């Protein structure tokens, strides 16, 4: 860019033909000429620079998120949005509209952007819309803070943390806003607040780990779990683990068949056998490249020979789900497009959860296509191919999928189910052939973040149970419908009949409501300067009671009304007072209903002209009428004394 600037004889990179097309577009959309002011010029330069970084990164596989590289992307986008909102008047999503121009400009040197233009546009638009919803409130809060701190030269760390925690403002965005007002930010105070939050989180876990205790000489640990589910072993070292009121032990063995949680696959469970006694293993974790077993006890003595046994049924079910995630990843890319990339996963013996990049809700047809494709591969019974210690570059040349954000060493493990369908870098355990998965069934699909979808599915016996439950439910519905030839049509007829009956019921209720209203109009008492209705009624519903109240209020001038009602077996009170009477503080519906509510063992409130209360005691409705009449008499007497 500097070379281009020199060749084109410009004073700034932003004046070259690399940036000017974008800046001209931003200027046109904002209606502000570039060069009008330093503030708006800076905003246009920031946006033109940031939209390039965002578009290239998203096309390259990164997505806005709350951690790692995705958080950097989110911060860049929010900074650009803030400049557009504050200085250029972009109160609606606008950055995404620059992507087609960028794609046209750089498509020849970065074809990925052209290929994924639609996806990039949708991701940026959704992220913009999400941030704009809180940006206005955050900026308003920032301005309020400045008004309350006249003469201050520093933004308090606690306030910077409030913007971060409540409004999603990254610290650097707060610093930019502060600099615009010649203010600094108390970084130390911000970090202290952040640490306090982390400490609260740590305290909630109530976890205390002791020091490691070695047992004999330490040796290299060997993982045997790819080929074995049991093996002889001995303890290398251990430490005590206190979780709330429970004491467990973290054990490191010289060799183990237990798989430690990683790559989305949960850790193995099982037990250790010591002289015929069993020590339960509740979980297996990885710590500093060591496989750590969370055990219920210690061998006695600690150096006693042991035998480790993995819970085979759980491991097999987990492997079914893990291998299915590889198949579903490949199927999603074929059905939805090459932009789909894994963004997270959870694999256990019950369910598989797969997070992936995609800009819209999957249709029923797309879900069905993915299911069919995965089940086709299951029926093909494709043998698993695993290659260990493959150079990373060689694996990628083979077409192996490397997950964005994952750290890989120089040598990797490649798992393949048909080289033309699924090749992935993976350290987990898998089925020997896809046929063992049996059946694959998607049970849910939804959004978890901007541009990120989550799919949940079951396999093998879990899928069978899911289908059996659906069939059982259908059979029960058939029983209720008395086994019609066409259950769908029978259900539609039933729903139509219900809609008809609901309309008829509503008609009858309206008729009853109007009859009740007519009855109440006949009970109006003419007083000196106002009309009153104080009585007990039984309306068909709470909604009918409300409608009657407002209709009478609109129809009768200077109305004072107290209705003690029984609705669905429960007592309710409604007080209505015309606005022409509420100028007098005594004539306040909210005050009156609060005085009456204890008689029905309830409470309520509202406005000066309309208030309601609900309660538990139906026997209190009659006393409500008596007290309301006395209150009216007192209020009328006071009014007459003070005309």
């Amino acid at each position: 860019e500097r070379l281009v600037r020199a060749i084109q004889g410009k004073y700034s990179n932003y004046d070259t033909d690399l940036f000017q097309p974008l800046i001209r577009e931003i200027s046109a959309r904002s209606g502000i000429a570039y060069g009008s002011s330093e503030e708006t010029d800076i905003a246009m330069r920031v946006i033109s620079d940031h939209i390039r970084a965002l578009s290239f990164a998203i096309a390259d596989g990164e997505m806005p998120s709350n951690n790692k590289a995705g958080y950097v992307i989110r911060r860049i986008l929010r900074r650009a949005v803030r400049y557009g909102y504050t200085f250029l008047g972009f109160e609606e999503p606008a950055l995404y509209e620059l992507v087609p121009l960028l794609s046209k400009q750089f498509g020849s040197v970065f074809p990925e952007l052209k290929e994924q233009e639609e996806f990039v546009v949708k991701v940026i638009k959704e992220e913009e819309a999400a941030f704009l919803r809180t940006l206005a409130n955050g900026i308003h809060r920032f301005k309020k803070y400045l008004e309350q701190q006249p003469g201050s030269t520093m933004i308090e760390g606690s306030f910077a943390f409030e913007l971060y925690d409540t409004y999603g403002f990254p610290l650097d965005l707060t610093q930019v806003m502060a600099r615009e007002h010649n203010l600094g930010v108390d970084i130390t105070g911000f970090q202290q607040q952040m640490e306090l939050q982390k400490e609260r989180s740590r305290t909630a876990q109530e976890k205390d780990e002791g020091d490691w205790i070695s047992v004999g000489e330490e040796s290299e640990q060997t993982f045997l779990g790819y080929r074995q589910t049991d093996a002889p072993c001995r303890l290398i070292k251990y430490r005590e683990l206190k979780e709330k009121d429970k004491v467990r032990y973290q054990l490191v063995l010289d060799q183990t068949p237990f798989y430690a949680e990683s790559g989305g696959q949960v850790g193995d469970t099982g037990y250790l056998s010591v002289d015929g006694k069993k020590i339960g293993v509740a979980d297996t974790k990885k710590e500093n490249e060591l496989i750590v077993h969370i055990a219920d006890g210690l061998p006695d003595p600690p150096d006693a020979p042991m035998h480790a046994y993995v819970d085979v049924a759980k491991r097999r079910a987990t492997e079914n789900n893990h291998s299915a995630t590889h198949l579903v990843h490949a199927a999603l890319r074929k059905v939805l497009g090459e932009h789909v990339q894994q963004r997270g996963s959870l694999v256990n013996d019950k369910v598989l959860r797969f997070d992936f990049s995609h800009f819209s809700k999957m249709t029923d047809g797309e879900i069905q296509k993915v299911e069919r494709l995965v089940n086709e591969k299951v029926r093909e019974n494709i043998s698993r191919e695993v290659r260990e210690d493959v150079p990373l570059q060689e694996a990628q040349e083979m077409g192996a999928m490397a997950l964005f954000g994952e750290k890989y060493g120089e040598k990797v493990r490649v798992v393949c189910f048909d080289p033309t369908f699924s090749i992935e870098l993976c350290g987990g355990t898998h089925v020997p052939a896809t046929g063992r998965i049996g059946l694959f069934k998607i049970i849910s699909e939804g959004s978890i973040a901007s541009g990120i979808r989550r799919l949940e599915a079951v396999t093998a016996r879990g899928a069978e149970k899911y289908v059996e439950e659906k069939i059982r439910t259908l059979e029960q519905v058939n029983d209720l419908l008395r086994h019609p030839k066409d259950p769908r049509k029978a259900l539609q007829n039933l729903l139509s009949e219900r809609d008809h009956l609901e309309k008829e019921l509503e008609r009858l209720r309206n008729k009853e409501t109007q009859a009740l209203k007519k009855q109440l109009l006949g009970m109006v008492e003419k007083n000196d300067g106002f009309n009153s209705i104080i009585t007990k009624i039984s309306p068909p519903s709470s909604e009918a009671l409300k409608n009657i109240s407002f209709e009478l209020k609109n129809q009768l001038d200077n109305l004072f009304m107290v209705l003690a009602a029984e609705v669905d077996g429960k007592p309710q009170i409604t007080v209505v007072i015309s606005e022409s009477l509420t100028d007098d503080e005594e004539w306040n519906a909210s005050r009156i209903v609060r005085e009456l509510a204890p008689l029905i063992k309830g409470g309520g409130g509202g406005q000066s002209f309309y208030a309601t209360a609900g309660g538990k005691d139906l026997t209190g409705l009659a006393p409500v009428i008596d007290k309301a009449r006395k209150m009216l008499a007192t209020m009328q007497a006071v009014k007459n004394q003070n005309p």
Side-chain angles (χ1 to χ4, degrees):
E1 289 172 0
R2 292 173 182 170
L3 185 59
V4 170
R5 182 180 71 185
I7 292 171
Q8 295 182 358
K10 303 296 184 181
Y11 291 101
S12 165
N13 290 0
Y14 295 104
D15 294 333
T16 67
D17 59 6
L18 291 172
F19 283 98
Q20 276 301 303
L22 285 169
I23 289 175
R24 283 196 296 269
E25 183 69 15
I26 297 166
S27 173
R29 291 183 179 277
S30 65
I32 300 171
Y34 185 61
S36 298
S37 73
E38 185 178 2
E39 282 185 341
T40 56
D41 286 359
I42 290 173
M44 291 182 195
R45 292 197 289 266
V46 167
I47 292 173
S48 63
D49 175 77
H50 286 17
I51 193 64
R52 295 199 318 172
L54 290 166
S55 301
F56 294 157
I58 293 169
D60 202 34
E62 188 49 68
M63 296 289 290
S65 69
N66 286 330
N67 51 56
K68 298 183 179 179
Y71 184 54
V72 177
I73 301 302
R74 177 162 284 168
R75 285 168 63 182
I76 292 172
L77 188 144
R78 289 185 171 185
R79 189 168 185 264
V81 170
R82 208 282 303 188
Y83 268 97
Y85 180 91
T86 303
F87 301 110
L88 302 177
F90 291 154
E91 296 183 1
E92 298 293 332
L95 270 64
Y96 76 94
E97 295 177 328
L98 301 173
V99 175
L101 175 61
L102 191 71
S103 174
K104 182 179 179 181
Q105 186 180 3
F106 288 92
S108 60
V109 291
F110 194 70
E112 292 86 350
L113 182 57
K114 190 67 180 174
E115 293 165 5
Q116 301 200 51
E117 180 182 316
E118 183 183 1
F119 177 68
V120 174
V121 164
K122 291 191 176 183
V123 170
I124 293 177
K125 184 178 181 180
E126 287 185 20
E127 189 73 15
E128 278 190 272
F131 184 50
L132 280 166
R133 283 193 286 270
T134 61
L135 179 63
N137 291 332
I139 289 177
H140 177 72
R141 179 75 183 90
F142 183 82
K143 289 179 179 177
K144 272 285 188 191
Y145 174 83
L146 294 185
E147 291 172 5
Q148 295 165 1
Q149 307 288 330
S152 175
T153 59
M154 185 71 66
I155 301 292
E156 294 175 345
S158 58
F159 178 69
F161 183 76
E162 178 191 330
L163 289 178
Y164 165 80
D165 197 40
T166 306
Y167 300 101
F169 278 49
L171 178 60
D172 60 347
L173 181 52
T174 302
Q175 289 175 304
V176 168
M177 292 167 61
R179 281 197 297 271
E180 289 167 359
H181 293 82
N182 298 315
L183 299 173
V185 177
D186 177 12
I187 306 299
T188 303
F190 175 87
Q191 291 172 341
Q192 286 173 348
Q193 292 294 321
M194 183 71 81
E195 283 303 315
L196 283 173
Q197 188 184 62
K198 290 178 180 178
E199 184 60 36
R200 286 192 291 269
S201 178
R202 284 193 292 267
T203 302
Q205 294 180 19
E206 297 181 11
K207 182 177 177 181
D208 181 28
E209 295 174 340
D211 294 329
W212 285 108
I213 298 173
S214 295
V215 179
E217 293 184 9
E218 287 211 17
S219 60
E220 197 76 24
Q221 189 182 44
T222 305
F223 175 60
L224 307 170
Y226 290 136
R227 295 176 180 82
Q228 298 173 224
T229 54
D230 70 274
C233 58
R234 69 176 184 83
L235 187 61
I236 296 176
K237 60 181 179 179
Y238 68 91
R239 68 180 175 190
E240 191 176 86
L241 175 66
K242 291 181 180 178
E243 294 179 304
K244 296 184 179 179
D245 298 328
K246 193 169 187 178
V247 176
R248 281 179 167 162
Y249 295 88
Q250 294 181 329
L251 312 182
V252 177
L253 311 177
D254 64 336
Q255 59 178 20
T256 178
F258 282 78
Y259 179 82
E261 179 181 337
S262 61
Q265 181 176 336
V266 298
D268 280 331
T269 60
Y271 67 92
L272 303 172
S273 178
V274 189
D275 290 333
K277 296 179 181 179
K278 292 183 179 180
I279 299 174
V281 176
D283 201 357
T284 311
K285 303 283 188 181
K286 188 169 282 188
E287 184 177 312
N288 297 325
E289 300 306 314
L290 286 176
I291 297 172
V292 179
H293 308 74
I294 314 300
D296 295 331
L298 279 172
D300 185 21
D303 60 353
M306 297 183 290
H307 203 96
Y309 293 91
V310 171
D311 183 335
V312 175
K314 183 180 177 183
R315 163 76 83 82
R316 295 288 179 259
T318 302
E319 288 176 345
N320 291 338
N321 286 331
H322 195 166
S323 297
T325 62
H326 284 221
L327 300 182
V328 79
H329 190 185
L332 284 167
R333 287 172 64 84
K334 288 194 177 294
V335 172
L336 302 179
E338 294 297 308
H339 65 273
V340 169
Q341 289 197 358
Q342 182 176 340
R343 293 297 171 193
S345 68
L346 171 68
V347 179
N348 59 30
D349 58 318
K350 302 287 193 305
V351 69
L352 69 90
R353 189 178 74 200
F354 190 80
D355 300 341
F356 59 99
S357 55
H358 187 52
F359 45 78
S360 61
K361 176 181 173 61
M362 290 179 67
T363 65
D364 291 342
E366 288 169 340
I367 291 174
Q368 198 171 66
K369 284 180 182 177
V370 169
E371 273 189 353
R372 286 176 177 170
L373 184 52
V374 172
N375 281 313
E376 282 175 13
K377 296 302 175 182
V378 169
R379 288 191 294 274
E380 287 176 21
N381 197 26
I382 304 165
S383 295
R384 174 195 67 206
E385 296 178 34
V386 177
R387 290 183 59 185
E388 308 277 358
D389 298 325
V390 180
L392 179 59
Q393 186 174 349
E394 181 183 330
Q396 291 174 327
E397 289 171 355
M398 290 166 55
M401 291 282 292
L403 303 185
F404 198 98
E406 288 291 327
K407 295 180 180 178
Y408 298 102
E410 293 181 4
K411 299 291 183 68
V412 293
R413 182 171 184 262
V414 179
V415 177
C416 173
F417 291 102
D418 181 352
T420 65
F421 188 70
S422 171
I423 309 176
E424 293 197 21
L425 307 183
C426 182
T429 62
H430 289 274
V431 297
T434 59
R436 206 183 74 184
I437 295 171
L439 177 65
F440 171 82
K441 186 68 183 172
I442 295 172
I443 59 175
S444 71
E445 188 275 343
S447 173
I448 60 167
S450 175
I452 306 291
R453 311 294 299 177
R454 172 169 290 172
L455 179 151
E456 291 192 352
V458 285
T459 62
R461 182 58 188 143
E464 288 178 1
K465 287 180 179 178
Y466 179 82
V467 172
E468 287 168 0
E469 184 60 34
K470 291 294 183 184
I471 292 173
R472 189 179 299 113
T473 300
L474 183 59
E475 289 173 346
Q476 290 170 348
V477 171
N478 259 329
D479 288 342
L480 292 172
L481 294 173
R482 299 182 181 179
H483 299 280
K485 291 181 179 179
D486 187 344
R488 183 192 294 270
K489 186 177 180 181
L491 188 56
Q492 286 175 337
N493 290 339
L494 193 63
L495 291 173
S496 297
E497 185 179 345
R498 185 201 64 181
D499 291 342
H500 172 73
L501 291 173
E502 283 182 348
K503 289 177 182 177
E504 180 63 19
L505 180 61
E506 186 64 25
R507 187 186 68 79
L508 293 173
R509 281 179 173 172
N510 287 336
K511 186 177 180 180
E512 184 181 350
T513 299
Q514 291 306 310
L516 181 56
K517 176 187 168 184
K518 186 176 180 181
Q519 179 186 341
L520 289 171
L521 284 170
M523 299 172 66
V524 175
E525 295 181 13
K526 302 287 184 179
N527 296 278
D528 184 15
F530 64 93
N531 297 303
S532 67
I533 303 173
I534 302 175
T535 189
K536 180 183 175 184
I537 61 173
S538 297
S541 66
S542 296
E543 188 65 24
L545 175 60
K546 182 178 179 181
N547 290 338
I548 287 173
S549 301
F550 278 97
E551 286 178 14
L552 290 173
K553 176 177 174 291
N554 293 331
Q555 192 168 341
L556 297 170
D557 294 331
N558 299 330
L559 176 65
F560 176 90
M561 181 170 68
V562 177
L563 300 178
E566 180 180 345
V567 183
D568 296 329
K570 293 182 180 180
Q572 291 188 24
I573 303 170
T574 295
V575 180
V576 176
I577 303 177
S578 295
E579 282 88 343
S580 56
L581 300 174
T582 57
D583 290 339
D584 190 330
E585 292 183 3
E586 287 294 311
W587 297 69
N588 186 294
S590 181
R591 178 188 66 80
I592 293 169
V593 86
R594 284 198 298 270
E595 289 189 33
L596 296 174
L599 296 173
I600 59 172
K601 295 181 180 177
Q607 296 165 288
S608 60
F609 60 87
Y610 175 76
T612 61
K616 302 175 183 177
D617 188 2
L618 281 170
T619 62
L621 290 177
V624 164
I625 299 301
D626 293 338
K627 185 169 182 176
R629 291 187 181 281
K630 291 176 182 177
M631 291 173 73
L632 176 60
T634 301
M635 289 157 54
Q636 189 175 8
V638 172
K639 188 177 180 70
N640 290 336
Q641 290 175 4
N642 303 288

